[in-house]
Amino acid sequence: MKNWLLVLLTFWVITSYQAKAKNELEISSHTIDSKQANASLKFKVALPWGYDKNKAYPVLYTTAGGSRFNSLIYQLDWLSHVAMGPMPQFIVVNVPHVTVPSDMHPKFVAASGIANELQLTVLAQEVMPYIEKHFLTQGFNLLEGYSSNGNFVLHTYLAKRALFDGYLVHSPVLELDKSGLVDKLSNLKKINLENTPPLYLSLGPFTGNKALYERINHNLKHIPAFKFEDLSQHNFLSVATISMVNSAEWLFADLSPEVDEFVEGGIASVKRYYKKLTLKYKKAMDSSDTLINLSFYYANNDYKNKALNTISTLVNDHPDNVYYLTRKALIHKKIGQLTESKHSFTIAEQLATEANDEDALSYIKGELAKL
């Protein structure tokens, strides 16, 4: 049964992504007349596949431009295009670069930090309000950056950390910074970091950054809100994609909790956990998968009453949900209540018939034939 479902799910994931890949992601260009920068600033917005204008989305602001922006949005699309992926779907916005007087190359300007204050002011006071006005957003925002532009993400964390709900910094060029980023991060005190948003920081292959990275790591590595990862063994360009995957898996790991942590506390512990998730992500979070998994755990370990009580919580709240009814039927079957299993499958069959759900009907009839 599990193998069949896994094969079916894998087939669906592959075929659905192949089908959607034929359509380009929706990327739009936007311009603001910045009073802060005294300039006309352009930036791009990429909408997730299947974007629903009536649904609120979290927003990932990135310092990526040019080819990396294109690479990033398709990477994020792949990581979020199905529920089993490591992260939710995001609206992606690239932070416009501001111009300040300098005879340095643009990448050195970005790394040095001389434009950080102005760029942050533009982002916080002009770009973010623009996005909030023109798109339906969830209120959960991330800031992401790589290489020279990653230094700006660290500056934002230090200067205005409450502005974002998480910071992802991939292989920043710490040795080129002239704004004191390393000293400030190395001297942060734990007492001042209560309720700090999470920050992921990776090290790339350039040797000049290693000692600086280690200074920061040494000071903050014991604080759960920080995640450090040495990726110096990888190619510089590879780090951008590897680090993005790893940071997403770390940051959003709480969206896929292990069922073991709820075994003792049961339904109440699941509700407490998802209440915390709701506060973190600023939207109602669905606990149904966890409750189903917990119910099957109880059934597999001969806690019959707990198994039925857990799955019944879902079915009682959603009596017309065909899927939940089939899960309840399987729980009955696992604990040896075949009559009750058949009854639940029969109700599910009636609902699937009314909804003209041929896939569900085929599955239910197959299960009924086994009883």
Side-chain angles (χ1 to χ4, degrees):
M1 175 64 187
K2 288 184 178 179
N3 290 339
W4 179 83
L5 287 174
L6 181 59
V7 170
L8 182 62
L9 179 61
T10 303
F11 175 77
W12 178 81
V13 168
I14 294 172
T15 54
S16 64
Y17 193 79
Q18 287 175 337
K20 88 181 190 66
K22 296 178 182 179
N23 301 315
E24 293 293 327
L25 294 176
E26 184 178 342
I27 305 171
S28 54
S29 296
H30 300 258
T31 303
I32 57 172
D33 292 322
S34 172
K35 295 181 180 179
Q36 299 295 332
N38 193 28
S40 180
L41 301 177
K42 296 181 179 181
F43 58 95
K44 293 180 179 180
V45 177
L47 302 178
W49 177 78
Y51 176 75
D52 180 353
K53 66 179 181 180
N54 297 312
K55 174 185 173 182
Y57 290 86
V59 183
L60 185 145
Y61 291 86
T62 176
T63 58
S67 60
R68 184 174 179 254
F69 180 78
N70 294 330
S71 173
L72 177 66
I73 61 174
Y74 281 99
Q75 182 183 21
L76 296 178
D77 177 55
W78 169 251
L79 295 175
S80 65
H81 75 282
V82 291
M84 65 186 292
M87 65 182 295
Q89 290 186 310
F90 276 80
I91 295 172
V92 183
V93 181
N94 80 305
V95 179
H97 291 283
V98 298
T99 301
V100 294
S102 175
D103 57 359
M104 291 188 288
H105 186 281
K107 76 173 183 178
F108 293 112
V109 171
S112 71
I114 63 173
N116 282 346
E117 290 292 345
L118 178 57
Q119 189 164 6
L120 178 53
T121 300
V122 169
L123 175 60
Q125 298 184 17
E126 297 178 326
V127 177
M128 294 180 75
Y130 177 95
I131 296 299
E132 298 294 327
K133 178 180 178 180
H134 291 87
F135 298 91
L136 185 57
T137 60
Q138 186 174 312
F140 182 83
N141 301 312
L142 299 181
L143 182 61
E144 183 269 355
Y146 162 68
S147 188
S148 301
N149 294 319
N151 290 5
F152 171 71
V153 182
L154 293 174
H155 167 79
T156 303
Y157 175 82
L158 288 166
K160 204 176 181 68
R161 72 187 59 156
L163 184 62
F164 291 94
D165 299 286
Y167 295 82
L168 309 179
V169 192
H170 316 297
S171 186
V173 188
L174 300 171
E175 62 178 327
L176 297 182
D177 172 64
K178 299 182 184 301
S179 67
L181 288 178
V182 174
D183 288 339
K184 293 173 185 175
L185 289 164
S186 300
N187 291 313
L188 282 177
K189 303 299 182 184
K190 184 177 181 179
I191 193 173
N192 297 323
L193 295 173
E194 292 185 9
N195 301 317
T196 184
L199 185 147
Y200 171 94
L201 175 61
S202 65
L203 173 68
F206 295 133
T207 56
N209 294 313
K210 187 172 180 62
L212 302 173
Y213 165 89
E214 291 296 348
R215 282 180 58 194
I216 302 170
N217 183 15
H218 178 75
N219 183 44
L220 302 173
K221 64 182 178 181
H222 299 300
I223 301 175
F226 294 88
K227 173 67 173 180
F228 294 90
E229 190 162 25
D230 185 343
L231 299 177
S232 58
Q233 73 274 27
H234 295 284
N235 178 276
F236 173 67
L237 296 180
S238 300
V239 170
T241 54
I242 296 169
S243 189
M244 186 63 234
V245 171
N246 293 355
S247 62
E249 290 184 349
W250 169 71
L251 183 60
F252 300 109
D254 55 7
L255 294 177
S256 303
E258 295 293 333
V259 71
D260 293 2
E261 63 183 288
F262 306 112
V263 170
E264 184 175 347
I267 297 169
S269 64
V270 173
K271 290 183 177 179
R272 287 194 298 270
Y273 184 88
Y274 278 86
K275 184 177 181 180
K276 290 181 180 179
L277 287 189
T278 295
L279 293 174
K280 174 182 174 179
Y281 292 106
K282 303 175 183 177
K283 65 169 287 188
M285 304 301 290
D286 184 8
S287 63
S288 59
D289 285 345
T290 299
L291 288 170
I292 290 170
N293 291 338
L294 181 60
S295 182
F296 276 98
Y297 176 92
Y298 286 144
N300 290 331
N301 289 276
D302 204 30
Y303 296 106
K304 296 181 180 181
N305 290 336
K306 287 185 176 182
L308 285 175
N309 288 340
T310 303
I311 195 65
S312 294
T313 297
L314 276 178
V315 174
N316 293 341
D317 289 343
H318 308 276
D320 295 329
N321 189 296
V322 174
Y323 179 70
Y324 296 163
L325 277 164
T326 62
R327 299 309 91 185
K328 185 176 182 180
L330 289 177
I331 293 296
H332 279 301
K333 183 178 178 180
K334 277 186 172 293
I335 63 177
Q337 298 179 352
L338 301 185
T339 300
E340 291 84 352
S341 178
K342 184 175 181 179
H343 177 68
S344 291
F345 271 128
T346 300
I347 296 174
E349 183 181 30
Q350 293 170 352
L351 292 171
T353 300
E354 293 172 4
N356 197 29
D357 189 338
E358 293 297 331
D359 290 338
L361 281 171
S362 177
Y363 169 73
I364 293 168
K365 289 178 179 178
E367 289 298 319
L368 282 170
K370 301 174 186 177
L371 294 172

